[in-house]
Amino acid sequence: MGKKTASHLISKVFSYLLFFLLVISSSGWTQPVTGLAGGNDSIQIKLVSPSSVESVVSKKPLIKCIIEGEFAPSSLLVLLDGIDITGAIEIESGGFSFRPVQVLPAGGHTLSVTIQTPQGFQVQKTFTFNTRHTSEFEEAYSGNNLSLLYEAVIEKPDDVTSIPHSKFLANLNSNLKVKEKAWSLNFSTNIRFIDQNLPVYQPEKKGLNLANYLLTIKYDKSPFTVGADMGDLQLNETMNTVQYLARRGGRFYLKYDDLQVNTFVVHSQQVFGFREGPGIEGTTDDHIIGVSVEKTFVEGRYKLKTVYVTGGEKGSSFGIFAPGGGKKGDVIGLFGTATFLEGKLNAEAEVDFSSFDADTSDEFDAEEDIAYRLKLGGYAGNINYSAVYEYMGSDYEVIGNQGLQKNREGFSLNGGITIRQYHSLNLAYSLYHDNVDDNELYPTVYTSQAMLTYSFNGIPNMPITLSYQHSLLDSTDEPDIAYIVRTDTDVFSSNISYMRNRWNLALQTSHSIQNDRTENGNDSTTTTVTFTPSYFSDNFSLTSNFSFNRSRFPNNNQRSDTYTVNIDMRGKTYHKRISYELAGTYNRMKASDGSAEQDTFNSNFRISYLLARNLWGYLNPSVGIRGLYNKSNDRVYSGENEELVFLFVFTADMPFSF
């Protein structure tokens, strides 16, 4: 922990805690407001404003009610659109008023007022009213949240170089919306400022930067819809073409009745900040361009879609690894779905043709290949089923879809049944193999898996699940003995949970047996038991995890035991002004032959005090202390390391809208 003494550290921490106590004692508390009391048993609740007849033009309309009669002040409950606003209302002579701090969404609203008479009778009245933001636009508002973080080291060891001595981070989250009739415009962004004495992790940079943004313009009036998006997009076309592609660029789409056309152009590399531009300018060498046309028939029961995507990547970027030179390729896909017998039979088919050059700097041309799949499934009463057949060529690749599992062929089956609501049985089987071109230089490895799962829900708050899984790896046509794979694995597992009130107790167990049928004989068994109790309340939560894992290796008569404990505790107290967090992980691993024995303990904790709530109507500043404690002990090689870090933390949260 360095050369400084423990007494010096304790005195420093004590000084900061004393500072917190002085802040707490100097901050003022808002006195509770006294309610009203009438003189008779008959209570009348009237809405003075807004008008329940005409639409009110206001982003933050004044809500005012008159209460006539005697009632218990502490029983007053006011809900606006289902949200409790009782603590924010202003008690006035003969009633109460409330003006929202944030912009109230346009449209219809419901105000519910509930009170109780001294005799114990409850009276409730519900009002409705409508608002629009301006006379020109139904909606026109900007919702924002500015968050600030400042951290400064109180104490840390000299050898801890990953934590900066000081750090300042500011983030502005902004959402703008304008809407009138069929037209709408949405703009969202996160602007970030960061400064610290150490380098920041890529792709972030010090100073002011743009984390993300998205601009959407749309006209929607049935049966015609047209729209455009620009910024950080997520694109999904089909499973084997473009799926979950998150890039910066632009998209334009239009829909008329059952016909939809979608086009996009995005930067092929991951970009961050202001410097990369909107992502739509450039060529197909560093951009991905796509177009799709989709048509539905017979009330949506049949759908046909065609996709074309082309583009290239010039090299590696954040989250993308591109060895060698650049990449370039294109793909054409056909996709269709059909629904028969009211959902009892659903069909899905896709065929795709790709041309892909994995390295544009070499002398080899692009490789062409094909991928296709067919899926059937459906349900009939308490029975559900599905069957999938897939083929993906060894040279099939698509720009921007790195998750494709090429060089693969096989099928999977799945079926389930529910019996008397309490019993569920599910059976799944799959068989796949690689080396679809039968290349003599490589073996063909078959992977099969069968799984049976039983679930019981007959005991209230106590679901039970039991499962058995058998997996097999088997190679054929091996060019050399080193390529031989023969492995069977059986896994038995169970899961039982008990949920009552705020408690949730879960117990998971599993036991696996691996049989290596090659000459190596690397058999093994693994047993894992995990207990996860958790408790949740309004101002306190506790989640813990206790796990034991034992692995045995009969070939050399060895075993390895691992014990793991995780705890996460969070809460608020002292009128929700004091917040605290404590999280830690303890891990102990020991091998029976004495080759390994190690303990690790990692924890972090935080305590903060809310200086003011809604200061000037917006600001919520807090001060606190955050700590890190890490310790590792290698009992075999007598290596021990211990770190204790204390940081002063100031945070502020300021939501505002206009």
Side-chain angles (χ1 to χ4, degrees), residues 525-545:
T525 63
T526 301
T527 303
T528 302
V529 179
T530 304
F531 178 56
T532 307
S534 58
Y535 174 85
F536 296 94
S537 66
D538 295 338
N539 297 315
F540 179 78
S541 68
L542 175 64
T543 303
S544 56
N545 178 284

Side-chain angles (χ1 to χ4, degrees), residues 364-419:
F364 300 104
D365 294 331
E367 298 283 352
E368 296 182 353
D369 217 325
I370 187 173
Y372 50 86
R373 65 185 183 91
L374 175 64
K375 179 179 180 180
L376 298 175
Y379 62 90
N382 58 344
I383 299 175
N384 64 84
Y385 67 96
S386 67
V388 180
Y389 173 78
E390 300 173 281
Y391 174 90
M392 191 167 293
S394 58
D395 295 314
Y396 182 86
E397 289 193 63
V398 178
I399 284 290
N401 195 339
Q402 292 186 323
L404 287 175
Q405 197 171 353
K406 64 178 183 177
N407 197 14
R408 183 171 181 257
E409 181 182 14
F411 67 91
S412 63
L413 305 172
N414 193 302
I417 183 171
T418 301
I419 304 173

Side-chain angles (χ1 to χ4, degrees), residues 257-453:
D257 201 10
D258 295 328
L259 179 67
Q260 181 171 331
V261 179
N262 180 51
T263 64
F264 65 86
V265 52
V266 295
H267 207 298
S268 57
Q269 293 186 322
Q270 294 275 23
V271 297
F272 183 89
F274 293 106
R275 292 168 293 279
E276 305 297 341
I280 59 175
E281 72 289 346
T283 67
T284 55
D285 292 335
D286 58 1
H287 280 71
I288 303 174
I289 301 173
V291 59
S292 67
V293 180
E294 179 180 314
K295 172 68 175 176
T296 58
F297 308 90
V298 193
E299 299 178 344
R301 284 186 289 173
Y302 306 97
K303 180 172 71 174
L304 183 63
K305 183 175 185 178
T306 179
V307 182
Y308 174 71
V309 180
T310 185
E313 296 176 355
K314 283 191 172 182
S316 301
S317 64
F318 176 69
I320 300 174
F321 176 66
K327 299 180 179 181
K328 200 164 186 180
D330 53 61
V331 62
I332 296 177
L334 298 174
F335 175 77
T337 64
T339 301
F340 305 99
L341 304 174
E342 298 180 345
K344 293 181 176 63
L345 175 61
N346 301 307
E348 182 179 304
E350 179 179 359
V351 58
D352 309 280
F353 306 89
S354 75
S355 175
F356 193 85
D357 190 348
D359 190 346
T360 56
S361 64
D362 60 25
E363 68 276 14
F364 300 104
D365 294 331
E367 298 283 352
E368 296 182 353
D369 217 325
I370 187 173
Y372 50 86
R373 65 185 183 91
L374 175 64
K375 179 179 180 180
L376 298 175
Y379 62 90
N382 58 344
I383 299 175
N384 64 84
Y385 67 96
S386 67
V388 180
Y389 173 78
E390 300 173 281
Y391 174 90
M392 191 167 293
S394 58
D395 295 314
Y396 182 86
E397 289 193 63
V398 178
I399 284 290
N401 195 339
Q402 292 186 323
L404 287 175
Q405 197 171 353
K406 64 178 183 177
N407 197 14
R408 183 171 181 257
E409 181 182 14
F411 67 91
S412 63
L413 305 172
N414 193 302
I417 183 171
T418 301
I419 304 173
R420 296 182 180 178
Q421 299 182 343
Y422 300 129
H423 308 274
S424 298
L425 195 65
N426 191 83
L427 178 63
Y429 177 76
S430 64
L431 175 63
Y432 287 88
H433 71 87
D434 59 5
N435 196 15
V436 295
D437 294 333
D438 296 325
N439 192 324
E440 295 181 354
L441 298 177
Y442 302 98
T444 301
V445 179
Y446 288 84
T447 303
S448 66
Q449 185 179 97
M451 186 171 183
L452 178 65
T453 303

Side-chain angles (χ1 to χ4, degrees), residues 7 11 120 132 201 273 305 317 329 434 466 499 553 590 647 653:
S7 60
S11 64
R132 60 181 290 127
Y201 294 106
K305 183 175 185 178
S317 64
D434 59 5
L466 305 175
M499 296 165 285
F553 308 94
K590 183 179 180 180
L647 301 103
D653 180 70

Side-chain angles (χ1 to χ4, degrees), residues 101 612-619 621 654:
V101 176
R613 185 177 287 111
N614 297 327
L615 183 64
W616 307 312
Y618 304 98
L619 189 61
M654 186 170 69

Side-chain angles (χ1 to χ4, degrees), residues 103 153 204 253 283 294 311 321 498 543 567:
V103 171
V153 170
E204 288 190 311
Y253 58 93
T283 67
E294 179 180 314
F321 176 66
Y498 179 71
T543 303
I567 293 179

